[in-house]
Amino acid sequence: KENLKNIKNETLIIWGDKDTSYNFDQVETLNKNIKNSCLEIFKDCAHNVHLEKPEEFNKLIKNFLD
């Protein structure tokens, strides 16, 4: 956890609320410990948000990068 505090870059964290690969506690740890992070949760998605909701995912990435 301590090393996460060393990340200075703006960080986008994406999680599907049906993901069984990572639980919300793990995702929340990232978000709380990476100072400049933003958590986006996709409803009714599992681990492959980019495949399950590609249009929404791509829009989010584009907005993040702009």
Side-chain angles (χ1 to χ4, degrees):
K1 283 190 219 181
E2 284 303 310
N3 287 335
L4 294 173
K5 294 176 190 245
N6 295 327
I7 298 173
K8 305 295 183 208
N9 297 66
E10 189 173 353
T11 303
L12 177 60
I13 302 165
I14 299 172
W15 184 68
D17 68 349
K18 305 288 185 205
D19 193 337
T20 58
S21 298
Y22 298 96
N23 63 51
F24 186 72
D25 290 342
Q26 292 169 299
V27 174
E28 190 174 43
T29 296
L30 292 174
N31 195 38
K32 284 183 177 180
N33 290 286
I34 299 173
K35 183 178 179 180
N36 199 15
S37 67
C38 174
L39 172 60
E40 294 290 335
I41 299 173
F42 279 71
K43 296 211 179 283
D44 299 319
C45 284
H47 190 68
N48 293 310
V49 173
H50 64 293
L51 298 175
E52 297 172 59
K53 294 192 177 178
E55 290 178 17
E56 292 175 47
F57 176 86
N58 288 337
K59 183 178 178 181
L60 177 65
I61 298 298
K62 184 180 182 311
N63 289 337
F64 178 75
L65 294 174
D66 283 342

Short mmCIF file of all heavy atoms in Angstrom, two decimals:
data_model
loop_
_atom_site.label_atom_id
_atom_site.label_comp_id
_atom_site.label_asym_id
_atom_site.label_seq_id
_atom_site.Cartn_x
_atom_site.Cartn_y
_atom_site.Cartn_z
N LYS A 1 0.82 -1.20 0.00
CA LYS A 1 0.00 0.00 0.00
C LYS A 1 0.86 1.26 0.00
O LYS A 1 0.50 2.22 -0.65
CB LYS A 1 -0.91 0.03 1.22
CG LYS A 1 -2.10 -0.85 1.15
CD LYS A 1 -3.02 -0.55 2.30
CE LYS A 1 -3.62 -1.80 2.84
NZ LYS A 1 -4.52 -1.53 3.94
N GLU A 2 1.93 1.22 0.72
CA GLU A 2 2.78 2.41 0.81
C GLU A 2 3.31 2.82 -0.56
O GLU A 2 3.44 4.01 -0.84
CB GLU A 2 3.94 2.18 1.79
CG GLU A 2 3.52 2.24 3.24
CD GLU A 2 2.85 3.57 3.61
OE1 GLU A 2 3.40 4.64 3.29
OE2 GLU A 2 1.77 3.52 4.22
N ASN A 3 3.63 1.86 -1.41
CA ASN A 3 4.15 2.19 -2.73
C ASN A 3 3.12 2.89 -3.61
O ASN A 3 3.48 3.65 -4.50
CB ASN A 3 4.67 0.94 -3.43
CG ASN A 3 5.97 0.46 -2.85
OD1 ASN A 3 6.73 1.23 -2.26
ND2 ASN A 3 6.23 -0.82 -2.97
N LEU A 4 1.86 2.64 -3.37
CA LEU A 4 0.81 3.31 -4.14
C LEU A 4 0.88 4.82 -3.96
O LEU A 4 0.57 5.57 -4.88
CB LEU A 4 -0.57 2.79 -3.74
CG LEU A 4 -0.87 1.33 -4.08
CD1 LEU A 4 -2.21 0.93 -3.47
CD2 LEU A 4 -0.87 1.11 -5.58
N LYS A 5 1.31 5.25 -2.81
CA LYS A 5 1.41 6.69 -2.53
C LYS A 5 2.49 7.36 -3.36
O LYS A 5 2.50 8.58 -3.49
CB LYS A 5 1.65 6.91 -1.04
CG LYS A 5 0.47 6.47 -0.20
CD LYS A 5 0.73 6.61 1.26
CE LYS A 5 -0.30 5.97 2.02
NZ LYS A 5 -1.20 6.05 2.78
N ASN A 6 3.37 6.57 -3.97
CA ASN A 6 4.42 7.11 -4.81
C ASN A 6 3.95 7.41 -6.24
O ASN A 6 4.66 8.05 -7.00
CB ASN A 6 5.61 6.14 -4.87
CG ASN A 6 6.27 5.99 -3.53
OD1 ASN A 6 6.32 6.91 -2.73
ND2 ASN A 6 6.77 4.79 -3.27
N ILE A 7 2.77 6.94 -6.58
CA ILE A 7 2.24 7.19 -7.93
C ILE A 7 1.75 8.63 -7.98
O ILE A 7 0.86 9.03 -7.24
CB ILE A 7 1.11 6.20 -8.27
CG1 ILE A 7 1.66 4.77 -8.25
CG2 ILE A 7 0.49 6.55 -9.62
CD1 ILE A 7 0.60 3.69 -8.40
N LYS A 8 2.34 9.40 -8.87
CA LYS A 8 2.01 10.83 -8.97
C LYS A 8 1.12 11.13 -10.18
O LYS A 8 0.48 12.17 -10.23
CB LYS A 8 3.30 11.66 -9.09
CG LYS A 8 4.29 11.41 -7.97
CD LYS A 8 3.76 11.84 -6.64
CE LYS A 8 4.82 11.63 -5.57
NZ LYS A 8 4.30 11.40 -4.27
N ASN A 9 1.10 10.25 -11.16
CA ASN A 9 0.33 10.49 -12.37
C ASN A 9 -1.17 10.39 -12.10
O ASN A 9 -1.61 9.63 -11.24
CB ASN A 9 0.69 9.46 -13.44
CG ASN A 9 2.13 9.56 -13.85
OD1 ASN A 9 3.01 9.29 -13.05
ND2 ASN A 9 2.37 9.94 -15.08
N GLU A 10 -1.91 11.14 -12.89
CA GLU A 10 -3.36 11.00 -12.85
C GLU A 10 -3.69 9.57 -13.26
O GLU A 10 -3.16 9.05 -14.25
CB GLU A 10 -3.99 11.99 -13.84
CG GLU A 10 -5.47 12.08 -13.72
CD GLU A 10 -6.04 13.20 -14.59
OE1 GLU A 10 -5.27 13.97 -15.17
OE2 GLU A 10 -7.28 13.26 -14.68
N THR A 11 -4.53 8.91 -12.49
CA THR A 11 -4.78 7.49 -12.67
C THR A 11 -6.28 7.22 -12.75
O THR A 11 -7.03 7.64 -11.88
CB THR A 11 -4.18 6.68 -11.51
OG1 THR A 11 -2.78 6.97 -11.42
CG2 THR A 11 -4.38 5.19 -11.69
N LEU A 12 -6.69 6.52 -13.79
CA LEU A 12 -8.08 6.12 -13.96
C LEU A 12 -8.20 4.67 -13.55
O LEU A 12 -7.53 3.79 -14.11
CB LEU A 12 -8.51 6.31 -15.41
CG LEU A 12 -9.92 5.87 -15.78
CD1 LEU A 12 -10.97 6.63 -14.95
CD2 LEU A 12 -10.15 6.06 -17.27
N ILE A 13 -9.06 4.40 -12.59
CA ILE A 13 -9.31 3.04 -12.12
C ILE A 13 -10.71 2.67 -12.61
O ILE A 13 -11.68 3.38 -12.34
CB ILE A 13 -9.25 2.98 -10.58
CG1 ILE A 13 -7.89 3.45 -10.07
CG2 ILE A 13 -9.57 1.56 -10.09
CD1 ILE A 13 -7.86 3.77 -8.59
N ILE A 14 -10.79 1.56 -13.33
CA ILE A 14 -12.06 1.11 -13.88
C ILE A 14 -12.38 -0.25 -13.27
O ILE A 14 -11.53 -1.15 -13.23
CB ILE A 14 -11.97 1.00 -15.42
CG1 ILE A 14 -11.66 2.37 -16.00
CG2 ILE A 14 -13.27 0.43 -15.99
CD1 ILE A 14 -11.35 2.35 -17.49
N TRP A 15 -13.60 -0.39 -12.82
CA TRP A 15 -14.01 -1.64 -12.18
C TRP A 15 -15.45 -1.95 -12.56
O TRP A 15 -16.30 -1.06 -12.55
CB TRP A 15 -13.86 -1.51 -10.67
CG TRP A 15 -14.14 -2.75 -9.89
CD1 TRP A 15 -13.39 -3.90 -9.88
CD2 TRP A 15 -15.23 -2.99 -9.00
NE1 TRP A 15 -13.95 -4.82 -9.02
CE2 TRP A 15 -15.09 -4.29 -8.47
CE3 TRP A 15 -16.32 -2.23 -8.60
CZ2 TRP A 15 -15.99 -4.84 -7.57
CZ3 TRP A 15 -17.22 -2.77 -7.70
CH2 TRP A 15 -17.05 -4.06 -7.19
N GLY A 16 -15.71 -3.19 -12.89
CA GLY A 16 -17.08 -3.65 -13.11
C GLY A 16 -17.65 -4.18 -11.81
O GLY A 16 -16.99 -4.95 -11.11
N ASP A 17 -18.86 -3.76 -11.49
CA ASP A 17 -19.42 -4.13 -10.18
C ASP A 17 -19.74 -5.62 -10.04
O ASP A 17 -20.04 -6.09 -8.95
CB ASP A 17 -20.65 -3.28 -9.85
CG ASP A 17 -21.86 -3.55 -10.72
OD1 ASP A 17 -21.73 -4.25 -11.75
OD2 ASP A 17 -22.94 -3.04 -10.39
N LYS A 18 -19.63 -6.37 -11.11
CA LYS A 18 -19.83 -7.83 -11.06
C LYS A 18 -18.49 -8.58 -11.17
O LYS A 18 -18.46 -9.79 -11.35
CB LYS A 18 -20.75 -8.29 -12.19
CG LYS A 18 -22.08 -7.60 -12.25
CD LYS A 18 -22.98 -8.02 -11.14
CE LYS A 18 -24.35 -7.38 -11.34
NZ LYS A 18 -25.09 -7.21 -10.14
N ASP A 19 -17.39 -7.85 -11.07
CA ASP A 19 -16.06 -8.44 -11.20
C ASP A 19 -15.78 -9.38 -10.03
O ASP A 19 -15.92 -9.00 -8.87
CB ASP A 19 -15.01 -7.33 -11.23
CG ASP A 19 -13.63 -7.80 -11.66
OD1 ASP A 19 -13.34 -9.00 -11.54
OD2 ASP A 19 -12.85 -6.95 -12.10
N THR A 20 -15.40 -10.60 -10.34
CA THR A 20 -15.04 -11.56 -9.29
C THR A 20 -13.53 -11.77 -9.23
O THR A 20 -13.05 -12.49 -8.36
CB THR A 20 -15.75 -12.91 -9.50
OG1 THR A 20 -15.40 -13.43 -10.79
CG2 THR A 20 -17.26 -12.76 -9.39
N SER A 21 -12.79 -11.14 -10.17
CA SER A 21 -11.33 -11.25 -10.14
C SER A 21 -10.75 -10.36 -9.05
O SER A 21 -9.74 -10.71 -8.44
CB SER A 21 -10.75 -10.83 -11.49
OG SER A 21 -11.19 -11.69 -12.50
N TYR A 22 -11.36 -9.20 -8.86
CA TYR A 22 -10.94 -8.26 -7.83
C TYR A 22 -12.16 -7.82 -7.05
O TYR A 22 -13.19 -7.49 -7.63
CB TYR A 22 -10.26 -7.02 -8.45
CG TYR A 22 -9.01 -7.36 -9.20
CD1 TYR A 22 -9.03 -7.54 -10.57
CD2 TYR A 22 -7.81 -7.51 -8.53
CE1 TYR A 22 -7.88 -7.88 -11.26
CE2 TYR A 22 -6.66 -7.84 -9.21
CZ TYR A 22 -6.70 -8.02 -10.58
OH TYR A 22 -5.56 -8.36 -11.26
N ASN A 23 -12.05 -7.80 -5.74
CA ASN A 23 -13.19 -7.35 -4.96
C ASN A 23 -13.09 -5.83 -4.73
O ASN A 23 -12.05 -5.22 -4.95
CB ASN A 23 -13.31 -8.12 -3.63
CG ASN A 23 -12.14 -7.91 -2.72
OD1 ASN A 23 -11.74 -6.78 -2.43
ND2 ASN A 23 -11.57 -9.00 -2.24
N PHE A 24 -14.18 -5.24 -4.29
CA PHE A 24 -14.22 -3.78 -4.15
C PHE A 24 -13.20 -3.28 -3.14
O PHE A 24 -12.66 -2.18 -3.31
CB PHE A 24 -15.62 -3.29 -3.78
CG PHE A 24 -15.70 -1.80 -3.77
CD1 PHE A 24 -15.67 -1.08 -4.95
CD2 PHE A 24 -15.76 -1.11 -2.57
CE1 PHE A 24 -15.71 0.31 -4.94
CE2 PHE A 24 -15.80 0.28 -2.55
CZ PHE A 24 -15.78 0.98 -3.74
N ASP A 25 -12.89 -4.03 -2.13
CA ASP A 25 -11.88 -3.60 -1.14
C ASP A 25 -10.54 -3.35 -1.81
O ASP A 25 -9.84 -2.40 -1.47
CB ASP A 25 -11.72 -4.64 -0.03
CG ASP A 25 -12.93 -4.71 0.89
OD1 ASP A 25 -13.73 -3.75 0.91
OD2 ASP A 25 -13.06 -5.72 1.60
N GLN A 26 -10.16 -4.19 -2.77
CA GLN A 26 -8.90 -4.01 -3.48
C GLN A 26 -8.93 -2.74 -4.33
O GLN A 26 -7.98 -1.97 -4.35
CB GLN A 26 -8.62 -5.22 -4.37
CG GLN A 26 -8.32 -6.48 -3.58
CD GLN A 26 -8.32 -7.70 -4.47
OE1 GLN A 26 -9.32 -8.03 -5.08
NE2 GLN A 26 -7.18 -8.37 -4.53
N VAL A 27 -10.03 -2.53 -5.00
CA VAL A 27 -10.19 -1.36 -5.85
C VAL A 27 -10.20 -0.09 -5.00
O VAL A 27 -9.58 0.91 -5.33
CB VAL A 27 -11.49 -1.49 -6.68
CG1 VAL A 27 -11.78 -0.23 -7.46
CG2 VAL A 27 -11.41 -2.69 -7.60
N GLU A 28 -10.89 -0.15 -3.89
CA GLU A 28 -10.96 0.99 -2.98
C GLU A 28 -9.57 1.31 -2.41
O GLU A 28 -9.23 2.49 -2.23
CB GLU A 28 -11.95 0.68 -1.86
CG GLU A 28 -12.27 1.86 -0.99
CD GLU A 28 -13.36 1.54 0.00
OE1 GLU A 28 -13.33 0.45 0.61
OE2 GLU A 28 -14.22 2.40 0.19
N THR A 29 -8.77 0.30 -2.15
CA THR A 29 -7.40 0.52 -1.68
C THR A 29 -6.61 1.30 -2.71
O THR A 29 -5.87 2.23 -2.36
CB THR A 29 -6.71 -0.83 -1.37
OG1 THR A 29 -7.40 -1.45 -0.29
CG2 THR A 29 -5.25 -0.63 -1.00
N LEU A 30 -6.74 0.94 -3.98
CA LEU A 30 -6.06 1.70 -5.04
C LEU A 30 -6.52 3.15 -5.03
O LEU A 30 -5.71 4.07 -5.02
CB LEU A 30 -6.36 1.08 -6.41
CG LEU A 30 -5.78 -0.28 -6.71
CD1 LEU A 30 -6.31 -0.78 -8.05
CD2 LEU A 30 -4.28 -0.26 -6.69
N ASN A 31 -7.81 3.34 -5.03
CA ASN A 31 -8.37 4.69 -5.11
C ASN A 31 -7.98 5.56 -3.92
O ASN A 31 -7.67 6.73 -4.07
CB ASN A 31 -9.88 4.61 -5.25
CG ASN A 31 -10.49 5.92 -5.69
OD1 ASN A 31 -9.94 6.64 -6.51
ND2 ASN A 31 -11.65 6.22 -5.15
N LYS A 32 -7.96 4.99 -2.74
CA LYS A 32 -7.63 5.75 -1.53
C LYS A 32 -6.13 6.08 -1.44
O LYS A 32 -5.76 7.07 -0.82
CB LYS A 32 -8.05 4.99 -0.28
CG LYS A 32 -9.52 5.03 -0.02
CD LYS A 32 -9.85 4.31 1.28
CE LYS A 32 -11.31 4.42 1.59
NZ LYS A 32 -11.66 3.73 2.85
N ASN A 33 -5.30 5.24 -2.02
CA ASN A 33 -3.86 5.40 -1.84
C ASN A 33 -3.12 6.00 -3.03
O ASN A 33 -1.95 6.34 -2.91
CB ASN A 33 -3.23 4.06 -1.46
CG ASN A 33 -3.63 3.65 -0.06
OD1 ASN A 33 -3.15 4.21 0.91
ND2 ASN A 33 -4.54 2.69 0.05
N ILE A 34 -3.78 6.12 -4.16
CA ILE A 34 -3.20 6.83 -5.30
C ILE A 34 -3.82 8.22 -5.28
O ILE A 34 -5.02 8.39 -5.53
CB ILE A 34 -3.48 6.10 -6.63
CG1 ILE A 34 -2.88 4.70 -6.61
CG2 ILE A 34 -2.93 6.92 -7.80
CD1 ILE A 34 -3.23 3.85 -7.80
N LYS A 35 -2.99 9.19 -4.93
CA LYS A 35 -3.48 10.54 -4.65
C LYS A 35 -4.34 11.13 -5.77
O LYS A 35 -5.39 11.68 -5.53
CB LYS A 35 -2.29 11.45 -4.35
CG LYS A 35 -2.70 12.85 -3.97
CD LYS A 35 -1.49 13.70 -3.66
CE LYS A 35 -1.93 15.11 -3.29
NZ LYS A 35 -0.82 15.97 -2.98
N ASN A 36 -3.89 11.02 -6.98
CA ASN A 36 -4.56 11.66 -8.10
C ASN A 36 -5.33 10.63 -8.93
O ASN A 36 -5.14 10.52 -10.13
CB ASN A 36 -3.52 12.40 -8.96
CG ASN A 36 -4.15 13.44 -9.85
OD1 ASN A 36 -5.29 13.83 -9.68
ND2 ASN A 36 -3.40 13.88 -10.83
N SER A 37 -6.19 9.86 -8.25
CA SER A 37 -6.92 8.79 -8.95
C SER A 37 -8.41 9.10 -9.02
O SER A 37 -8.95 9.89 -8.24
CB SER A 37 -6.71 7.45 -8.25
OG SER A 37 -7.32 7.44 -6.98
N CYS A 38 -9.02 8.47 -9.99
CA CYS A 38 -10.46 8.59 -10.20
C CYS A 38 -10.99 7.18 -10.41
O CYS A 38 -10.46 6.43 -11.23
CB CYS A 38 -10.72 9.46 -11.43
SG CYS A 38 -12.44 9.54 -11.90
N LEU A 39 -12.01 6.82 -9.67
CA LEU A 39 -12.62 5.49 -9.79
C LEU A 39 -13.91 5.59 -10.57
O LEU A 39 -14.79 6.38 -10.23
CB LEU A 39 -12.88 4.91 -8.39
CG LEU A 39 -13.68 3.61 -8.34
CD1 LEU A 39 -12.98 2.50 -9.09
CD2 LEU A 39 -13.93 3.22 -6.89
N GLU A 40 -14.00 4.79 -11.62
CA GLU A 40 -15.23 4.69 -12.41
C GLU A 40 -15.72 3.25 -12.32
O GLU A 40 -14.98 2.31 -12.62
CB GLU A 40 -14.97 5.05 -13.88
CG GLU A 40 -14.59 6.49 -14.09
CD GLU A 40 -15.75 7.46 -13.86
OE1 GLU A 40 -16.92 7.05 -13.99
OE2 GLU A 40 -15.47 8.63 -13.56
N ILE A 41 -16.96 3.10 -11.87
CA ILE A 41 -17.55 1.79 -11.70
C ILE A 41 -18.61 1.57 -12.79
O ILE A 41 -19.50 2.41 -12.96
CB ILE A 41 -18.18 1.64 -10.31
CG1 ILE A 41 -17.10 1.81 -9.23
CG2 ILE A 41 -18.89 0.30 -10.18
CD1 ILE A 41 -17.64 1.86 -7.82
N PHE A 42 -18.47 0.48 -13.50
CA PHE A 42 -19.44 0.12 -14.53
C PHE A 42 -20.42 -0.87 -13.95
O PHE A 42 -20.04 -1.93 -13.47
CB PHE A 42 -18.72 -0.49 -15.73
CG PHE A 42 -18.13 0.51 -16.67
CD1 PHE A 42 -17.01 1.25 -16.32
CD2 PHE A 42 -18.69 0.72 -17.93
CE1 PHE A 42 -16.46 2.18 -17.19
CE2 PHE A 42 -18.15 1.64 -18.80
CZ PHE A 42 -17.03 2.38 -18.43
N LYS A 43 -21.69 -0.53 -14.01
CA LYS A 43 -22.74 -1.40 -13.48
C LYS A 43 -22.98 -2.57 -14.43
O LYS A 43 -22.91 -2.42 -15.64
CB LYS A 43 -24.02 -0.61 -13.28
CG LYS A 43 -23.87 0.48 -12.24
CD LYS A 43 -25.18 0.72 -11.53
CE LYS A 43 -25.04 1.79 -10.48
NZ LYS A 43 -24.40 1.35 -9.28
N ASP A 44 -23.26 -3.71 -13.85
CA ASP A 44 -23.58 -4.94 -14.59
C ASP A 44 -22.45 -5.39 -15.51
O ASP A 44 -22.70 -5.96 -16.57
CB ASP A 44 -24.89 -4.77 -15.39
CG ASP A 44 -26.07 -4.48 -14.48
OD1 ASP A 44 -26.15 -5.11 -13.41
OD2 ASP A 44 -26.89 -3.61 -14.83
N CYS A 45 -21.22 -5.13 -15.10
CA CYS A 45 -20.05 -5.60 -15.85
C CYS A 45 -19.16 -6.42 -14.93
O CYS A 45 -19.08 -6.15 -13.73
CB CYS A 45 -19.23 -4.43 -16.38
SG CYS A 45 -19.96 -3.62 -17.80
N ALA A 46 -18.48 -7.37 -15.53
CA ALA A 46 -17.51 -8.17 -14.78
C ALA A 46 -16.11 -7.61 -15.05
O ALA A 46 -15.93 -6.40 -15.09
CB ALA A 46 -17.63 -9.64 -15.16
N HIS A 47 -15.16 -8.48 -15.27
CA HIS A 47 -13.76 -8.08 -15.38
C HIS A 47 -13.40 -7.43 -16.72
O HIS A 47 -12.44 -6.68 -16.80
CB HIS A 47 -12.86 -9.29 -15.11
CG HIS A 47 -11.42 -8.97 -14.97
ND1 HIS A 47 -10.91 -8.27 -13.90
CD2 HIS A 47 -10.37 -9.24 -15.78
CE1 HIS A 47 -9.62 -8.13 -14.05
NE2 HIS A 47 -9.25 -8.70 -15.18
N ASN A 48 -14.15 -7.72 -17.76
CA ASN A 48 -13.82 -7.24 -19.10
C ASN A 48 -14.74 -6.09 -19.53
O ASN A 48 -15.43 -6.18 -20.55
CB ASN A 48 -13.88 -8.38 -20.11
CG ASN A 48 -12.80 -9.39 -19.86
OD1 ASN A 48 -11.63 -9.05 -19.72
ND2 ASN A 48 -13.18 -10.65 -19.78
N VAL A 49 -14.69 -5.01 -18.80
CA VAL A 49 -15.54 -3.86 -19.08
C VAL A 49 -15.36 -3.40 -20.53
O VAL A 49 -16.33 -3.07 -21.21
CB VAL A 49 -15.22 -2.70 -18.11
CG1 VAL A 49 -15.96 -1.45 -18.50
CG2 VAL A 49 -15.55 -3.11 -16.68
N HIS A 50 -14.14 -3.42 -21.01
CA HIS A 50 -13.86 -2.96 -22.38
C HIS A 50 -14.55 -3.81 -23.44
O HIS A 50 -14.82 -3.32 -24.53
CB HIS A 50 -12.34 -2.93 -22.63
CG HIS A 50 -11.68 -4.26 -22.56
ND1 HIS A 50 -11.59 -4.99 -21.39
CD2 HIS A 50 -11.11 -5.00 -23.52
CE1 HIS A 50 -10.96 -6.12 -21.63
NE2 HIS A 50 -10.66 -6.15 -22.93
N LEU A 51 -14.88 -5.04 -23.13
CA LEU A 51 -15.60 -5.92 -24.06
C LEU A 51 -17.11 -5.89 -23.81
O LEU A 51 -17.90 -6.06 -24.74
CB LEU A 51 -15.09 -7.36 -23.93
CG LEU A 51 -13.62 -7.60 -24.26
CD1 LEU A 51 -13.24 -9.04 -23.97
CD2 LEU A 51 -13.33 -7.23 -25.70
N GLU A 52 -17.49 -5.70 -22.57
CA GLU A 52 -18.90 -5.75 -22.21
C GLU A 52 -19.65 -4.46 -22.55
O GLU A 52 -20.82 -4.50 -22.92
CB GLU A 52 -19.04 -6.06 -20.71
CG GLU A 52 -18.49 -7.44 -20.36
CD GLU A 52 -18.46 -7.68 -18.87
OE1 GLU A 52 -19.53 -7.61 -18.24
OE2 GLU A 52 -17.35 -7.91 -18.33
N LYS A 53 -18.97 -3.33 -22.39
CA LYS A 53 -19.57 -2.03 -22.71
C LYS A 53 -18.54 -1.17 -23.45
O LYS A 53 -18.05 -0.17 -22.94
CB LYS A 53 -20.05 -1.33 -21.44
CG LYS A 53 -21.20 -2.05 -20.76
CD LYS A 53 -21.85 -1.21 -19.69
CE LYS A 53 -23.04 -1.96 -19.10
NZ LYS A 53 -23.67 -1.22 -18.02
N PRO A 54 -18.17 -1.60 -24.67
CA PRO A 54 -17.07 -0.94 -25.38
C PRO A 54 -17.30 0.53 -25.68
O PRO A 54 -16.36 1.33 -25.59
CB PRO A 54 -16.92 -1.76 -26.66
CG PRO A 54 -18.20 -2.50 -26.82
CD PRO A 54 -18.74 -2.70 -25.44
N GLU A 55 -18.50 0.92 -26.05
CA GLU A 55 -18.75 2.33 -26.37
C GLU A 55 -18.58 3.22 -25.16
O GLU A 55 -17.93 4.27 -25.22
CB GLU A 55 -20.13 2.50 -26.99
CG GLU A 55 -20.23 1.90 -28.38
CD GLU A 55 -21.60 2.03 -28.99
OE1 GLU A 55 -22.42 2.84 -28.51
OE2 GLU A 55 -21.87 1.29 -29.96
N GLU A 56 -19.14 2.80 -24.03
CA GLU A 56 -19.01 3.58 -22.79
C GLU A 56 -17.56 3.60 -22.32
O GLU A 56 -17.06 4.63 -21.87
CB GLU A 56 -19.90 3.00 -21.70
CG GLU A 56 -21.38 3.16 -21.95
CD GLU A 56 -22.21 2.46 -20.90
OE1 GLU A 56 -21.92 2.62 -19.69
OE2 GLU A 56 -23.15 1.74 -21.29
N PHE A 57 -16.90 2.46 -22.42
CA PHE A 57 -15.50 2.36 -22.02
C PHE A 57 -14.64 3.29 -22.87
O PHE A 57 -13.83 4.07 -22.34
CB PHE A 57 -15.02 0.91 -22.17
CG PHE A 57 -13.57 0.71 -21.87
CD1 PHE A 57 -13.13 0.51 -20.57
CD2 PHE A 57 -12.62 0.72 -22.89
CE1 PHE A 57 -11.79 0.33 -20.28
CE2 PHE A 57 -11.27 0.54 -22.62
CZ PHE A 57 -10.86 0.34 -21.31
N ASN A 58 -14.79 3.24 -24.19
CA ASN A 58 -13.99 4.07 -25.08
C ASN A 58 -14.25 5.56 -24.85
O ASN A 58 -13.31 6.36 -24.89
CB ASN A 58 -14.25 3.71 -26.54
CG ASN A 58 -13.65 2.36 -26.91
OD1 ASN A 58 -12.71 1.90 -26.27
ND2 ASN A 58 -14.20 1.74 -27.93
N LYS A 59 -15.48 5.92 -24.60
CA LYS A 59 -15.81 7.33 -24.31
C LYS A 59 -15.10 7.77 -23.03
O LYS A 59 -14.55 8.87 -22.96
CB LYS A 59 -17.31 7.48 -24.18
CG LYS A 59 -17.75 8.91 -23.96
CD LYS A 59 -19.27 9.02 -23.89
CE LYS A 59 -19.67 10.44 -23.62
NZ LYS A 59 -21.12 10.58 -23.53
N LEU A 60 -15.13 6.93 -22.01
CA LEU A 60 -14.47 7.25 -20.74
C LEU A 60 -12.96 7.44 -20.94
O LEU A 60 -12.39 8.42 -20.45
CB LEU A 60 -14.73 6.14 -19.72
CG LEU A 60 -14.05 6.28 -18.38
CD1 LEU A 60 -14.56 7.50 -17.63
CD2 LEU A 60 -14.25 5.02 -17.55
N ILE A 61 -12.34 6.54 -21.67
CA ILE A 61 -10.90 6.63 -21.92
C ILE A 61 -10.58 7.90 -22.70
O ILE A 61 -9.64 8.63 -22.37
CB ILE A 61 -10.38 5.39 -22.68
CG1 ILE A 61 -10.58 4.12 -21.85
CG2 ILE A 61 -8.92 5.57 -23.09
CD1 ILE A 61 -9.82 4.10 -20.54
N LYS A 62 -11.36 8.18 -23.73
CA LYS A 62 -11.13 9.39 -24.53
C LYS A 62 -11.23 10.64 -23.67
O LYS A 62 -10.36 11.53 -23.73
CB LYS A 62 -12.12 9.47 -25.68
CG LYS A 62 -11.89 10.63 -26.61
CD LYS A 62 -12.90 10.65 -27.73
CE LYS A 62 -12.69 11.77 -28.70
NZ LYS A 62 -12.49 13.09 -28.16
N ASN A 63 -12.26 10.72 -22.83
CA ASN A 63 -12.42 11.88 -21.96
C ASN A 63 -11.29 11.99 -20.95
O ASN A 63 -10.84 13.09 -20.63
CB ASN A 63 -13.76 11.82 -21.22
CG ASN A 63 -14.94 12.07 -22.15
OD1 ASN A 63 -14.79 12.68 -23.20
ND2 ASN A 63 -16.10 11.60 -21.74
N PHE A 64 -10.82 10.87 -20.47
CA PHE A 64 -9.71 10.87 -19.52
C PHE A 64 -8.43 11.39 -20.17
O PHE A 64 -7.67 12.14 -19.55
CB PHE A 64 -9.49 9.45 -18.97
CG PHE A 64 -8.34 9.34 -18.02
CD1 PHE A 64 -8.45 9.82 -16.72
CD2 PHE A 64 -7.15 8.75 -18.41
CE1 PHE A 64 -7.38 9.72 -15.83
CE2 PHE A 64 -6.09 8.63 -17.54
CZ PHE A 64 -6.20 9.12 -16.24
N LEU A 65 -8.20 11.01 -21.40
CA LEU A 65 -6.97 11.40 -22.10
C LEU A 65 -7.00 12.82 -22.65
O LEU A 65 -5.94 13.40 -22.90
CB LEU A 65 -6.67 10.42 -23.23
CG LEU A 65 -6.34 8.99 -22.79
CD1 LEU A 65 -6.22 8.07 -23.99
CD2 LEU A 65 -5.10 8.95 -21.92
N ASP A 66 -8.18 13.37 -22.85
CA ASP A 66 -8.28 14.73 -23.40
C ASP A 66 -7.91 15.79 -22.40
O ASP A 66 -7.89 15.72 -21.27
CB ASP A 66 -9.70 15.01 -23.89
CG ASP A 66 -9.94 14.34 -25.25
OD1 ASP A 66 -8.96 14.00 -25.93
OD2 ASP A 66 -11.12 14.19 -25.60
#
